[in-house]
């Protein structure tokens, strides 16, 4: 496990030691530090780092809840931009990928 700090949030990376499912490199958690207001001492789980199917780069999946409509499986993202600002999601994705790169460099 490793931590990467960024202001009031840290990222904990838990490498996928089992290799299952294929392509999943690690799980990631956002840890809210002491200065995070009402979120202090809490963590948000459900992030994962994956190899891209094309083989170039990595992808991060966000926590989601699955449900079905007429037998079709869909997912509902649990962490979304509040004002439609996609850059907010990209900042979290970049933070997790940077933490994963740091863990990978240590290995």
């Amino acid at each position: 496990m490793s931590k990467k700090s960024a202001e009031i949030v840290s990222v904990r990376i838990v490498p996928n030691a089992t290799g299952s499912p294929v392509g999943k490199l690690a799980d990631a958690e956002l840890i809210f530090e002491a200065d995070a207001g009402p979120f202090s001492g809490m963590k948000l789980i459900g992030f994962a780092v994956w190899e891209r199917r094309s083989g170039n780069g990595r992808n991060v999946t966000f926590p989601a809840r699955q449900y079905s409509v007429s037998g079709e499986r869909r997912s509902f993202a649990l962490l979304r931009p509040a004002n439609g600002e996609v850059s907010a999601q990209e900042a979290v994705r970049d933070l997790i990928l940077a933490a994963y790169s740091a863990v990978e460099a240590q290995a």
Side-chain angles (χ1 to χ4, degrees):
M1 287 194 283
S2 173
K3 281 188 169 185
K4 172 91 176 158
S5 294
E7 297 177 13
I8 61 172
V9 177
S10 295
V11 177
R12 181 179 299 152
I13 299 292
V14 182
N16 183 12
T18 65
S20 178
V22 175
K24 183 177 180 184
L25 302 171
D27 289 304
E29 304 171 345
L30 294 184
I31 312 276
F32 296 94
E33 303 297 339
D35 298 335
F39 291 105
S40 294
M42 304 212 40
K43 66 182 176 180
L44 180 59
I45 63 171
F47 297 92
V49 180
W50 297 81
E51 285 184 40
R52 288 198 185 273
R53 291 182 182 163
S54 65
N56 298 332
R58 304 208 159 58
N59 186 37
V60 175
T61 55
F62 281 59
R65 177 105 187 200
Q66 289 189 345
Y67 65 99
S68 70
V69 173
S70 302
E72 180 184 342
R73 292 177 75 186
R74 298 182 184 181
S75 63
F76 178 82
L78 298 175
L79 183 64
R80 298 177 288 200
N83 299 323
E85 290 291 325
V86 177
S87 62
Q89 256 185 330
E90 290 172 4
V92 172
R93 180 175 286 114
D94 291 345
L95 183 68
I96 291 170
L97 288 174
Y100 180 77
S101 293
V103 168
E104 191 177 40
Q106 291 175 355

